[in-house]
């Protein structure tokens, strides 16, 4: 049974799903009912923190002398989620008192500071732990039992799927995290990605790091590996969330931040665009054309730039016209200006731009100072 909750995304109606934390709590509730109330529940139901009631079928129920175990299948709705359709198990057994929640096979362990749970603990975040605890408490109360309960959450496919998530970067080993703050998955939500970036930035700072390299994605990582002047600072892939990532760096007290990105992304920074997704702002050619005009470009060249399909194509036009050096300098100046405005004096910031054809294309005025190669200009 799918969750009948939808949200509108433009002209599309997208179905919501429920989180791994909701699945774990549902499974724990059903296992507890089987163990303490001697039921064989076909479904489990609970109220999520968002206030939405969720019901899901109970699968693979097994009851032993002193335990019960069952699973709930993850339903991510229309969200693109590697965990969609997997089984999340809870095994419940009585203990003398209290409620304990831990992770078993396929649930990751925290190995670095700065995450939602302490080092050594299962990567079951605070809200899912509260949901599981509340579900078990309600069954204890209904059964009028004076014992406590232990719930072990496991995800058989967790270790395999974790390689496709941010967990390896975060120092979560051995499996997936059990996540969720509302209990509900919003389809195609970018908030989860933004939160993952924040967690990674916070984690590096909690480990004592004060310098950071931000890059939008895999191409940036590949360039960084080949560019000798860059120090071995921690790196975070910030996707299109340049501005939000800089805000997190300020929030967590970084001192130096370098951004490394492709011309096609970072040209937008020269226009003050801090979320570089093309659906929000695809002003690459307009910005390049404006800087070409400032550099003295002929109207015919400006028109060609406006019609160029890629920034690499526009760069070739500028180089043929002998204007690239002037455009490069004004672009880098404006990129630095907008980065400093966003950083608001909280840390030193600079940017390096490249493309996949020529490699290094330039750096803003503060980069050498940040790297300790020269004194920063006042």
């Amino acid at each position: 049974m799918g969750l009948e909750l939808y949200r509108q995304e433009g002209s599309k109606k997208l179905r919501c799903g429920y989180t791994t934390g909701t699945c774990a709590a549902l499974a724990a509730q059903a296992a507890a009912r089987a163990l303490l109330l001697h039921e064989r529940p076909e479904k489990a139901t609970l109220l999520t923190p968002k206030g939405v009631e969720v019901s899901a079928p109970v699968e693979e129920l097994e009851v032993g002398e002193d335990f019960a175990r069952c699973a709930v299948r993850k339903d991510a709705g229309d969200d693109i989620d590697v965990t969609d359709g997997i089984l999340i198990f809870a095994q419940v057994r009585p203990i003398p008192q209290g409620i304990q929640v831990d992770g078993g096979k396929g649930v990751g362990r925290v190995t670095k500071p700065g995450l939602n749970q302490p080092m050594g603990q299962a990567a079951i975040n605070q809200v899912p732990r509260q949901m599981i605890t509340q579900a078990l408490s309600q069954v204890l109360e209904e059964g009028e039992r004076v014992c406590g309960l232990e719930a072990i959450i496991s995800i058989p496919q967790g270790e395999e799927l974790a390689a496709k998530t941010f967990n390896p970067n975060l120092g979560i080993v051995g499996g997936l995290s059990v996540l969720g703050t509302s209990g509900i998955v919003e389809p195609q939500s970018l908030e989860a990605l933004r939160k993952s970036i924040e967690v990674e930035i916070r984690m590096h700072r909690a480990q004592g790091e004060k310098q950071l390299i931000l890059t939008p994605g895999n191409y940036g990582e590949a360039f960084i590996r080949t560019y000798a002047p860059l120090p071995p600072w921690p790196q975070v892939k910030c996707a299109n969330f340049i501005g939000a990532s800089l805000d997190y760096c300020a929030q967590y007290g970084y001192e130096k931040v370098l951004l490394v990105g492709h011309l096609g992304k970072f040209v937008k920074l020269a226009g003050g665009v801090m979320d570089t997704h093309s659906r929000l702002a695809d002003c690459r050619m307009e910005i390049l054309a404006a800087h070409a005009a400032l550099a003295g470009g002929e109207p015919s060249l400006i028109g060609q730039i406006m019609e160029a399909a890629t920034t690499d194509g526009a760069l070739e036009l500028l180089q043929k016209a002998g204007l690239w050096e002037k455009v490069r300098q004004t672009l880098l100046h404006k990129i630095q200006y907008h980065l400093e405005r966003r950083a608001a004096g909280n840390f030193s910031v600079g940017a390096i731009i490249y493309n996949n054809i020529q490699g290094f294309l330039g750096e803003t005025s503060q980069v050498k100072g940040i790297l300790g190669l020269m004194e920063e200009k006042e």
Side-chain angles (χ1 to χ4, degrees):
M1 63 187 75
L3 181 64
E4 294 299 318
L5 179 67
Y6 298 86
R7 79 173 179 87
Q8 203 73 24
E9 179 76 18
S11 61
K12 296 181 180 179
K13 187 179 181 183
L14 301 175
R15 189 173 67 82
C16 297
Y18 38 83
T19 63
T20 50
T22 296
C23 294
L26 287 166
Q29 178 203 87
R33 296 190 74 85
L35 178 66
L36 300 183
L37 306 182
H38 308 294
E39 298 178 359
R40 295 195 67 84
E42 295 183 357
K43 70 175 184 178
T45 302
L46 59 74
L47 188 67
T48 63
K50 192 178 179 70
V52 176
E53 186 175 87
V54 171
S55 294
V58 175
E59 301 187 34
E60 301 195 21
L61 177 62
E62 177 186 2
V63 182
E65 185 176 339
D66 64 347
F67 77 93
R69 183 175 185 264
C70 66
V72 166
R73 194 173 296 275
K74 171 70 181 289
D75 174 15
D78 289 328
D79 192 44
I80 301 171
D81 189 334
V82 297
T83 65
D84 186 38
I86 67 171
L87 289 173
I88 297 172
F89 285 82
Q91 179 168 304
V92 173
R93 70 178 184 91
I95 56 176
Q97 60 181 4
I99 291 176
Q100 298 176 9
V101 179
D102 203 352
K105 179 179 173 59
V107 172
R109 289 272 159 187
V110 177
T111 66
K112 295 182 180 180
L115 299 177
N116 186 272
Q117 294 297 308
M119 288 179 17
Q121 293 293 311
I124 303 173
N125 279 9
Q126 182 178 358
V127 172
R129 285 179 183 271
Q130 292 171 346
M131 293 174 68
I132 296 166
T133 299
Q134 183 177 4
L136 296 179
S137 297
Q138 288 174 347
V139 177
L140 283 170
E141 183 177 350
E142 186 176 344
E144 299 181 346
R145 299 294 292 268
V146 295
C147 68
L149 288 174
E150 176 193 66
I152 304 295
I153 309 302
S154 60
I155 307 173
Q157 296 175 259
E159 190 165 4
E160 174 189 350
L161 292 175
K164 302 177 182 179
T165 72
F166 279 92
N167 279 14
N169 293 341
L170 299 176
I172 297 173
V173 301
L176 292 166
S177 302
V178 178
L179 301 172
T181 55
S182 69
I184 298 298
V185 174
E186 299 249 347
Q188 299 181 6
S189 170
L190 295 177
E191 184 61 25
L193 175 57
R194 190 183 292 111
K195 285 293 185 183
S196 295
I197 294 166
E198 180 186 3
V199 167
E200 194 167 357
I201 289 172
R202 185 180 72 222
M203 179 199 70
H204 287 303
R205 186 67 187 91
Q207 294 173 16
E209 302 287 355
K210 297 181 180 180
Q211 298 88 27
L212 192 67
I213 295 174
L214 297 173
T215 188
N218 293 329
Y219 288 136
E221 284 189 334
F223 173 78
I224 289 167
R225 286 195 296 270
T226 65
Y227 189 61
L230 287 175
W233 293 352
Q235 301 168 25
V236 171
K237 286 195 287 188
C238 60
N240 292 297
F241 303 116
I242 308 295
S245 297
L246 292 173
D247 294 344
Y248 298 144
C249 289
Q251 179 180 346
Y252 295 113
Y254 282 86
E255 295 179 357
K256 297 180 179 181
V257 178
L258 280 177
L259 293 98
V260 180
H262 191 281
L263 175 65
K265 286 281 186 191
F266 279 14
V267 68
K268 298 179 185 182
L269 301 182
V273 176
M274 291 287 162
D275 186 331
T276 57
H277 198 291
S278 58
R279 72 182 176 198
L280 296 178
D282 189 8
C283 52
R284 298 166 298 158
M285 302 313 163
E286 288 84 352
I287 292 173
L288 285 170
H291 283 263
L294 288 172
E298 296 291 333
S300 59
L301 173 65
I302 306 306
Q304 287 178 303
I305 292 171
M306 288 294 294
E307 294 299 319
T310 65
T311 53
D312 289 340
L315 172 60
E316 185 177 350
L317 291 169
L318 289 165
Q319 288 175 327
K320 285 181 178 178
L323 294 178
W324 169 240
E325 184 57 31
K326 288 184 179 179
V327 169
R328 185 177 76 95
Q329 292 300 324
T330 56
L331 277 176
L332 291 169
H333 175 75
K334 292 301 288 185
I335 289 171
Q336 183 66 40
Y337 169 76
H338 287 294
L339 291 177
E340 289 183 352
R341 282 195 66 190
R342 190 64 177 243
N346 288 292
F347 51 83
S348 299
V349 63
I352 294 171
I353 58 172
Y354 68 91
N355 73 357
N356 296 332
I357 300 171
Q358 300 177 40
F360 176 80
L361 294 177
E363 61 188 26
T364 63
S365 60
Q366 299 301 301
V367 169
K368 285 186 171 61
I370 290 171
L371 296 178
L373 300 178
M374 58 175 281
E375 292 296 320
E376 292 186 28
K377 297 178 182 179
E378 294 295 323

